Amino acid sequence: MGFSIYELGDVSLQHGEVLHQARVAYKTHGALNSAASNAILFPTWFTGSHSDVEWIIAPGRPLDPSKYFIVVVNIFGNGYSSSPSNTKARDGKPFPYLSLLDNVVLQRRLLREHLGVKKLQLVVGRSMGAQIAFQWGSYFADEVNALLALEGSARTSPHNYAFLATMKMALQSVATEDPAIAARVGLKRMRIIADSWGFSQAWYREKGYQKLGFNSLEDFLERSLPDKIGHPEDFLCQIATWQRADISDNDRFKGDLTAALGAITARAIVMPSETDMYFPPEDNRIEIASMPNAELRVMPTVWGHRAGSPGTDPADTAFFEDAIRELLSGKWTR
Amino acid sequence: MGFSIYELGDVSLQHGEVLHQARVAYKTHGALNSAASNAILFPTWFTGSHSDVEWIIAPGRPLDPSKYFIVVVNIFGNGYSSSPSNTKARDGKPFPYLSLLDNVVLQRRLLREHLGVKKLQLVVGRSMGAQIAFQWGSYFADEVNALLALEGSARTSPHNYAFLATMKMALQSVATEDPAIAARVGLKRMRIIADSWGFSQAWYREKGYQKLGFNSLEDFLERSLPDKIGHPEDFLCQIATWQRADISDNDRFKGDLTAALGAITARAIVMPSETDMYFPPEDNRIEIASMPNAELRVMPTVWGHRAGSPGTDPADTAFFEDAIRELLSGKWTR
């Protein structure tokens, strides 16, 4: 149930700000082999943390800790790695904006400085984690053998940006001085928006909420929050990263997304959910046209952006795991 | 620029409540012919009013006031017909819930008692107005010759309900005693949600907001409100009608949607927008399977739920108008 912290010291970020006493929270499963060739990186996603992926890491499954050294790394802002909620303000400055590339560069420091990993057999991510996988494959192309991007894009689309603007609005809508109430009310408002987008029209039509244990749509929409909820400022920090996510937003690619995608030489499976309204398949279809070694593999599902998560459709999980298995079956050629 | 009010007195509603001093606001274009056979009903939609459809009513266009008697009727709750904002509370009771059928029954009283119309050559509606058109065609099947439902469904889908729950949340999120501020802030919050849903992912991808005159996505999302804005309680009233919209929710059909759809004998064109996320085509595809004389005609467009509105794509408007023309070209056979 535990996790580890790697302290990075004061870090200069991509856009000139400084993150003081930066820390990356992570958890490893399995061990690095003597050739240091069996490492897999699995970054987390919006509102997620290292514990949310443990269900898929087990002996006999594709992410098998008896074979692979699996590093689950928490994205910045998620409350475990450096986040507004666990970082003291300095000189009255707000917590800085962290880009996709900031996440990747600091994850890389953890891997190289601390874990002895210089090449990744696979980077696998979902949602924002998929965006980070794209960033890895593009910026550090020679260090990534294979890439699996589930329900995420290389650049946040204008539509996805608009959706996130409504999530921000919900979090910022709460007028109270009580931080605990602010957190609960803000999350409740944000969650109803996330629920309206996160599952598909077909899922709602088929009363998918019954499969999650709710008798009625109203019960599902009004359900209780978990006991432990995140900090609104942390959610806003992650949303900032997501809204501006763009693997070409750096000195090397200077906004040329085609070039940034073209740099991804890793064998890649880009896997949108057929019914995802955050990241519709068409966005990925456009992206893979510029990727030299990528395949678009659309997950057939009504579970929208939630497809492949625990507690949803086992067929979706199997579809995801089959792709992981396939990518890991290739020779370590780079 | 004016409009008319028809006073209905105290009205018993479908679910037992009373609407005191009910009024229907409407506007007519053209004149009823001697056979009383040229009447067209055009109900308004969520946030709309009689003036919002005038752009499509003109000599030489399909809705030609030199040929037809066109009655544009404001739905309840829109601020013109009886609404929370224009109705005094009685005995401390809140403004009542008005169903689709309440709207239709009271529109029918206006037509029969005041305008001399007993049969409608066409009921045409968009969005909630399309839902009202479905209700007309089902409950008063013998009085409707043809029906055109643009971007609306016979029953609000669970997904559409969830979307509307987020709109309610936005309107109700404002904590202020100042009604003017509450109205502006609530509307701003609601609008950003409506914008995120109202246009399609493809529209955002193609920077459709530039066609609306905005340089950037941020400008579009943050744009000013109009000078005249609606009352939050009126929006909530309309949302209540929309959330519970169901043409089978009445004593005749008792929740049997298949039967309620089967009763629609009018020649019907059901016209979803290909990219509408409020009312996706699949919802209509399921509905027309139970309608004996209906055609599904999907509007090919990226404009989502806004397709066919003024200022969007003229091709969509033409697609809509062609269908109106086609329905009006049929003989008056019933």
Side-chain angles (χ1 to χ4, degrees):
Chain A
M1 298 291 288
F3 62 97
S4 302
I5 297 282
Y6 182 59
E7 294 181 333
L8 296 155
D10 293 348
V11 169
S12 292
L13 299 173
Q14 190 191 351
H15 293 281
E17 292 180 287
V18 173
L19 177 61
H20 292 284
Q21 296 185 316
R23 44 188 261 171
V24 178
Y26 67 99
K27 183 163 183 181
T28 64
H29 304 260
L32 193 64
N33 62 14
S34 55
S37 66
N38 68 334
I40 295 173
L41 183 70
F42 200 152
T44 63
W45 52 79
F46 180 64
T47 75
S49 71
H50 55 276
S51 57
D52 293 321
V53 299
E54 297 191 352
W55 63 284
I56 205 173
I57 300 171
R61 298 188 77 159
L63 292 177
D64 185 338
S66 70
K67 293 185 187 173
Y68 299 103
F69 181 52
I70 303 154
V71 181
V72 180
V73 60
N74 290 279
I75 59 173
F76 288 107
N78 85 332
Y80 292 90
S81 290
S82 290
S83 303
S85 67
N86 62 24
T87 302
K88 279 186 190 155
R90 296 261 187 132
D91 312 324
K93 286 185 186 165
F95 189 82
Y97 158 69
L98 285 123
S99 68
L100 282 190
L101 188 56
D102 287 322
N103 271 274
V104 165
V105 164
L106 299 178
Q107 289 168 8
R108 188 166 173 265
R109 280 188 54 194
L110 162 70
L111 293 174
R112 295 175 88 95
E113 296 171 7
H114 189 60
L115 299 175
V117 174
K118 292 191 175 174
K119 290 204 175 186
L120 291 164
Q121 186 162 3
L122 174 68
V123 182
V124 51
R126 180 185 164 271
S127 196
M128 277 181 80
Q131 297 189 304
I132 286 171
F134 274 110
Q135 182 69 83
W136 260 102
S138 175
Y139 206 82
F140 297 110
D142 294 341
E143 301 172 21
V144 178
N145 191 56
L147 182 162
L148 177 46
L150 174 65
E151 298 159 1
S153 62
R155 181 164 70 188
T156 291
S157 72
H159 180 266
N160 199 212
Y161 182 98
F163 153 71
L164 291 168
T166 70
M167 300 272 277
K168 269 179 73 172
M169 174 278 285
L171 287 167
Q172 294 174 331
S173 70
V174 189
T176 171
E177 297 301 310
D178 182 324
I181 292 176
R184 296 194 77 80
V185 175
L187 180 60
K188 202 167 175 70
R189 291 177 183 172
M190 181 180 80
R191 191 179 67 183
I192 195 171
I193 294 176
D195 282 342
S196 70
W197 282 102
F199 303 89
S200 73
Q201 290 109 334
W203 182 88
Y204 277 95
R205 191 184 302 122
E206 296 173 10
K207 298 187 166 64
Y209 43 87
Q210 292 182 345
K211 291 185 182 147
L212 293 179
F214 298 94
N215 289 324
S216 74
L217 178 55
E218 292 73 12
D219 287 349
F220 168 68
L221 294 174
E222 293 294 327
R223 68 192 185 280
S224 301
L225 293 171
D227 290 336
K228 184 173 184 299
I229 65 172
H231 190 288
E233 291 301 322
D234 289 354
F235 293 136
L236 290 167
C237 172
Q238 293 171 78
I239 287 173
T241 303
W242 184 353
Q243 275 195 311
R244 294 171 62 176
D246 179 355
I247 66 165
S248 71
D249 178 23
N250 49 60
D251 288 345
R252 191 178 308 161
F253 296 109
K254 299 180 171 58
D256 184 344
L257 182 62
T258 303
L261 288 164
I264 302 176
T265 49
R267 162 74 177 139
I269 295 179
V270 176
M271 187 178 281
S273 151
E274 185 182 9
T275 49
D276 189 343
M277 292 193 287
Y278 292 9
F279 298 102
E282 188 60 17
D283 288 333
N284 285 150
R285 197 182 309 277
I286 293 165
E287 290 172 345
I288 65 137
S290 303
M291 296 169 70
N293 200 14
E295 172 194 344
L296 184 75
R297 193 177 292 186
V298 181
M299 184 184 280
T301 177
V302 301
W303 282 84
H305 189 65
R306 306 298 177 94
S309 299
T312 61
D313 190 333
D316 298 343
T317 313
F319 192 86
F320 177 44
E321 290 196 315
D322 284 350
I324 295 174
R325 192 175 285 113
E326 186 178 323
L327 289 172
L328 292 174
S329 69
K331 301 263 181 226
W332 180 259
T333 54
R334 294 141 55 87
Chain B
M1 296 291 288
F3 62 96
S4 303
I5 297 281
Y6 181 60
E7 296 181 332
L8 297 155
D10 294 347
V11 170
S12 292
L13 300 172
Q14 190 191 350
H15 294 280
E17 292 180 286
V18 173
L19 177 61
H20 292 283
Q21 296 185 316
R23 44 187 262 170
V24 178
Y26 67 99
K27 184 163 182 180
T28 65
H29 304 260
L32 193 63
N33 63 14
S34 54
S37 65
N38 68 336
I40 295 173
L41 183 71
F42 201 153
T44 63
W45 52 78
F46 179 64
T47 75
S49 71
H50 55 275
S51 57
D52 293 321
V53 300
E54 298 192 351
W55 64 283
I56 205 174
I57 300 171
R61 298 187 78 159
L63 292 179
D64 186 339
S66 72
K67 292 185 187 173
Y68 299 103
F69 181 53
I70 303 153
V71 182
V72 180
V73 61
N74 290 279
I75 60 173
F76 289 107
N78 85 333
Y80 292 89
S81 290
S82 291
S83 303
S85 67
N86 63 24
T87 302
K88 278 186 192 160
R90 297 260 187 133
D91 312 324
K93 286 185 187 167
F95 190 82
Y97 159 68
L98 285 123
S99 67
L100 282 189
L101 187 56
D102 287 322
N103 270 274
V104 165
V105 165
L106 299 178
Q107 289 168 8
R108 187 165 173 264
R109 280 189 53 194
L110 163 70
L111 293 174
R112 295 174 88 94
E113 295 171 8
H114 190 60
L115 299 176
V117 174
K118 293 190 175 173
K119 289 202 174 185
L120 292 163
Q121 187 162 2
L122 174 69
V123 183
V124 52
R126 180 185 164 270
S127 195
M128 277 181 79
Q131 297 189 305
I132 286 171
F134 274 109
Q135 183 69 83
W136 260 103
S138 175
Y139 207 82
F140 297 111
D142 294 341
E143 300 172 23
V144 177
N145 191 55
L147 182 162
L148 178 46
L150 175 65
E151 297 159 1
S153 62
R155 181 165 71 187
T156 292
S157 72
H159 181 265
N160 199 211
Y161 182 98
F163 153 71
L164 291 168
T166 71
M167 300 272 276
K168 269 179 72 171
M169 175 277 287
L171 288 166
Q172 295 174 331
S173 71
V174 189
T176 172
E177 296 301 310
D178 182 324
I181 291 176
R184 296 194 77 79
V185 175
L187 181 60
K188 202 166 174 70
R189 292 177 182 172
M190 181 181 81
R191 192 180 65 183
I192 194 170
I193 294 176
D195 283 342
S196 69
W197 282 102
F199 302 90
S200 74
Q201 289 109 334
W203 182 88
Y204 277 96
R205 192 184 301 122
E206 297 173 9
K207 297 187 167 65
Y209 44 86
Q210 292 181 346
K211 292 184 182 148
L212 293 178
F214 298 94
N215 289 323
S216 73
L217 178 55
E218 291 74 12
D219 287 350
F220 169 68
L221 294 174
E222 292 294 327
R223 68 193 184 278
S224 301
L225 294 171
D227 289 337
K228 185 173 184 299
I229 64 173
H231 191 289
E233 291 301 323
D234 289 354
F235 293 135
L236 290 168
C237 171
Q238 292 171 76
I239 287 173
T241 304
W242 185 354
Q243 275 195 309
R244 294 171 62 178
D246 179 354
I247 66 166
S248 72
D249 178 24
N250 50 61
D251 287 345
R252 191 177 309 162
F253 297 110
K254 298 179 171 58
D256 183 344
L257 183 62
T258 303
L261 288 164
I264 302 176
T265 49
R267 161 76 177 137
I269 295 179
V270 177
M271 185 178 283
S273 153
E274 184 182 8
T275 50
D276 190 343
M277 292 193 288
Y278 293 8
F279 298 102
E282 188 60 18
D283 287 333
N284 286 149
R285 197 182 310 276
I286 293 165
E287 290 172 344
I288 65 137
S290 303
M291 296 168 70
N293 199 14
E295 173 194 344
L296 184 75
R297 192 176 293 185
V298 181
M299 183 183 281
T301 177
V302 300
W303 282 84
H305 190 64
R306 306 299 176 91
S309 299
T312 62
D313 190 334
D316 297 343
T317 314
F319 192 86
F320 177 44
E321 290 196 313
D322 284 350
I324 295 174
R325 193 176 285 112
E326 187 178 322
L327 289 173
L328 291 174
S329 68
K331 299 262 182 229
W332 180 257
T333 54
R334 293 141 55 90

